[in-house]
């Protein structure tokens, strides 16, 4: 296929650990091929070179946590034809959304000796709360194969093939024995969005929900099962308040278990 | 009066968001600020109230490039609190997964983030057009590191298999075998990396640093040892807070860490350097014979005070990590249990391990149920910030006649000598240079 010009790819960062954009650099076998197909126009973790927008595909990592970032995400949206969020921070507010349930001033005083130097919002929010998002890629961290799929789909002008079923299905597909049924290990697999490859149960531990809620999760039923397995209310609260605490289904279920 | 400023609003090829600001009046540098504007993420605050068992999974999320370092410091601190010793093959597996992270993180920095500076490219992707074999070698070396982490940890970023007491599941001997084959290739590639990086053009820039690293009686340090320096520091990890103090400066969202002057509580302590240069200078004699030979034959003496040559030192450490990983795999016998039993108790625990960028200190206080009451985490980059600023001051003072564009680029390179991890440091950084 011949193109008039290579599409421009930009990678943006907001509050995050950099792990999701690192996933692109972790595509050791595919990175140079991707670099042949797109023009890497803005990707500060990898390159000093900055090409002016507009950009054809923007990958956005991280959540919105400062007043400046609210303005910056709007500029990114204006400069982007397609905007895809990558990871739990950009898609659900991330682990830093744990502040959303607390008093932010108390948090600042715990960490910083001079709170007056800190400018931050009282909530950490996903990108979609601020601008229109064309596609969301889940995970803390994202799965790099899914990232390559998203970029390929964009280049071929089709919808990315990233299933929305639960981790349970993935366990069945890879032939992992159910840790909840066989060992009585509490697991979030039944309500968690697939994508990781169901690795936790394969390592004999329960899923802790790093891909966030699946399409239609029955969180109340799963909480009841956790109780039967001996989990205390506090344990259930904490497990829903993890890397996707501000995703609606997880947030609501966590509130049920709050004292 | 002539004045200039050097400003870099967004530092590239570092992890996280930072900026540089240097102000020059006539021929004197009057101000240097390494700014970290990465938004704060409040890890220490929300660790309060979480279970002690959650610390490795939560703190891994401070950094996508060195999650193993966070997991290792967390598990060691918790085990210290609970009076648990993890030894034998479980301890060896922890060294093995740390080898994987060093190989992955150092290869990323050497090839993708730092080497383009020396050869005048904007990125490794630009460099790949002229040096395809070299960039491919870097990517494949990095991949071997990631393969170790994925094998033992389940995935390369934020691995899921590390727990207080050991692992959820340990590998069989057979499962580790393919890694050994890959590591033999990697060891040769790492050897070539040492030879190649030694040929890069280095500015003359020797500095007198206080190097701080772990030191262990038998090993090149990863997880354990005493905290020592070349200027007399020699303490147990649990005494860290008595000797080091963090201060909060207006221009940075990352705290600056300094060594307290003895007998004083004021915050004007001594800056110090952590990371590969510090480890190498304090522990050269603990490198494997192959790594020592590679360093010497590349012309690197056991004492290296030029921060630009940290790229060779990192390469020596990649070689060491390949050697050490092979040794561990060859001597591996699966342990009977994947983890030691742990029971919570009210206590305070201290942990410090050698992240790729330097010492990473964790302290937790937990109650009878194992709930975390408070947490303190000091990442390598906040410890190196003052030294980075001092290097910039010295470098610009020495090279003040350079054209602005060249000087700016070399200031960025000076910062990248440290492979700063900005996301870690805020749990870091904004660069502007101003000349009046």
């Amino acid at each position: 296929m011949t193109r008039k010009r290579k599409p421009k790819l930009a990678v943006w960062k907001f509050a995050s650990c950099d792990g999701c954009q690192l996933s692109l650099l972790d595509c050791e076998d595919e990175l140079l091929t991707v670099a042949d197909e797109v023009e890497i126009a803005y990707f500060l973790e990898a390159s000093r070179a900055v090409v002016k927008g507009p950009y054809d595909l923007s990958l956005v990592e991280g959540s919105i946590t400062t007043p400046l970032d609210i303005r910056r995400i709007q500029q990114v949206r204006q400069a982007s034809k397609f905007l895809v969020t990558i990871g739990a921070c950009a898609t659900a507010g991330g682990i830093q959304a744990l502040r959303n349930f607390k008093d932010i001033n108390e948090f600042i005083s715990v960490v910083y000796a001079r709170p007056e130097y800190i400018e931050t919002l009282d909530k950490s929010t996903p990108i979609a709360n601020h601008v229109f998002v064309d596609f969301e890629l889940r995970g803390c961290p994202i799965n790099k194969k899914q990232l390559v799929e998203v970029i390929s789909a964009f280049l071929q002008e089709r919808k990315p093939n990233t299933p929305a079923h639960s981790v349970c299905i993935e366990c069945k597909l890879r032939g992992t024995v159910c840790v909840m049924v066989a060992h009585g290990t509490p697991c979030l697999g039944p309500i968690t969005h697939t994508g990781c490859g169901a690795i936790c149960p394969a390592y004999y531990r329960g899923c802790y929900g790093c891909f966030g809620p699946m399409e239609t999760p029955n969180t109340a039923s799963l909480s009841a099962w956790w109780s039967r397995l001996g989990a205390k209310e506090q344990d259930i609260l904490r497990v829903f308040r993890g890397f996707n605490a501000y995703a609606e289904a997880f947030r609501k279920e966590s509130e049920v278990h709050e004292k | 009066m002539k004045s200039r400023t050097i400003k870099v609003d967004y530092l590239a090829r570092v992890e996280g968001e930072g900026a540089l600001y240097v102000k020059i009046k006539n021929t004197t540098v009057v101000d240097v600020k390494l700014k970290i504007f990465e938004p704060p993420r409040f890890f220490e605050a929300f660790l309060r109230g979480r279970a002690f068992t959650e610390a490795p999974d939560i703190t891994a999320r401070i950094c996508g490039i060195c999650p193993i370092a966070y997991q290792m410091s967390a598990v060691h601190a918790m085990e210290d609190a609970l009076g648990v010793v993890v030894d034998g093959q479980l301890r060896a597996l922890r060294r093995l997964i740390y080898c994987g992270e060093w190989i992955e993180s150092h290869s990323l920095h050497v090839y993708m983030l730092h080497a383009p500076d020396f050869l005048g490219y904007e990125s490794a992707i630009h460099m790949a057009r002229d040096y395809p074999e070299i960039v491919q070698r870097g990517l494949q070396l990095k991949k071997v590191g990631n393969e170790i982490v994925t094998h033992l940890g389940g995935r390369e970023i934020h691995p899921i298999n590390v727990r207080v007491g050991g692992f959820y599941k340990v590998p069989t001997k057979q499962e580790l075998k393919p890694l050994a084959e890959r590591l033999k290739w990697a060891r040769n590639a790492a050897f070539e990396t040492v030879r190649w990086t030694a040929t890069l053009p280095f500015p003359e820039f020797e500095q007198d640093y206080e190097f701080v690293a772990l030191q262990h009686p038998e090993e090149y340090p990863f997880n354990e040892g005493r905290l020592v320096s070349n200027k007399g520091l020699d303490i147990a990890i649990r005494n860290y807070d008595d000797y080091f103090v963090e201060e909060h400066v207006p221009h940075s969202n990352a705290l600056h860490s300094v060594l307290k002057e003895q007998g004083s509580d004021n915050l004007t302590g001594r800056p110090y350097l952590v990371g590969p240069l510090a480890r190498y200078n304090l522990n050269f004699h603990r490198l494997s014979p192959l790594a020592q030979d590679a360093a010497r034959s590349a012309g690197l003496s056991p004492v290296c005070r030029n921060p630009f040559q940290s790229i060779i030192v990192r390469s020596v450490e990649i070689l060491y990590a390949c050697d050490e990983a092979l040794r561990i795999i060859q001597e591996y016998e699966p342990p009977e249990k994947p983890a030691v039993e742990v029971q919570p108790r009210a206590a305070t625990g201290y942990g410090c391990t050698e992240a790729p960028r330097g010492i990473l200190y964790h302290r937790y206080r937990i109650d009878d149920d194992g709930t975390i009451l408070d947490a303190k985490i000091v990442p390598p980059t906040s410890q190196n910030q003052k030294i980075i600023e001092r290097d910039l001051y010295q470098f610009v003072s020495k090279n003040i006649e350079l054209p602005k564009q060249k000087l700016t680029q070399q200031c960025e390179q000076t910062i990248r000598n440290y492979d700063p991890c900005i996301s870690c440091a805020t749990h870091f950084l904004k660069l502007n240079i101003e000349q009046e």
Side-chain angles (χ1 to χ4, degrees), chain A residues 111-203:
Chain A
V111 182
Y112 295 99
R114 305 290 297 268
E116 64 273 24
Y117 298 155
I118 296 295
E119 189 177 41
T120 187
L121 296 167
D122 63 353
K123 295 246 184 317
S124 167
T125 44
I127 301 299
N129 279 25
H130 303 273
V131 295
F132 178 77
V133 172
D134 294 283
F135 188 79
E136 293 182 321
L137 192 59
R138 313 287 197 91
C140 179
I142 56 166
N143 177 322
K144 65 184 185 185
K145 292 191 179 107
Q146 289 200 331
L147 179 61
V148 172
E149 163 61 17
V150 165
I151 295 170
S152 303
F154 164 77
L155 289 171
Q156 291 154 26
E157 297 177 19
R158 61 172 172 79
K159 184 175 180 288
N161 181 14
T162 52
H165 55 240
S166 74
V167 169
C168 281
I169 308 289
E170 202 69 29
C171 265
K172 304 293 170 282
L173 285 168
R174 67 183 281 174
T176 303
V177 170
C178 178
V179 294
M180 204 147 145
V181 172
H183 310 131
T185 305
C187 179
L188 282 187
I191 56 159
T192 297
H193 196 285
T194 190
C196 65
I199 40 181
C200 285
Y203 281 74

Side-chain angles (χ1 to χ4, degrees), chain A residues 48, chain B residues 12-13 109 113 117 412-419:
Chain A
R48 294 176 86 229
Chain B
R13 301 206 316 273
H109 187 256
L113 309 184
D117 279 331
E412 290 181 51
Q413 185 176 358
T414 304
I415 294 169
R416 285 191 284 264
N417 288 336
Y418 290 85
D419 188 7

Side-chain angles (χ1 to χ4, degrees), chain B residues 317-332:
Chain B
E317 287 199 336
I318 299 172
L319 177 59
Y320 171 75
C322 293
D323 238 3
E324 177 70 356
L326 270 165
R327 184 191 68 78
I328 293 165
I329 291 172
Q330 277 153 4
E331 294 173 6
Y332 179 65

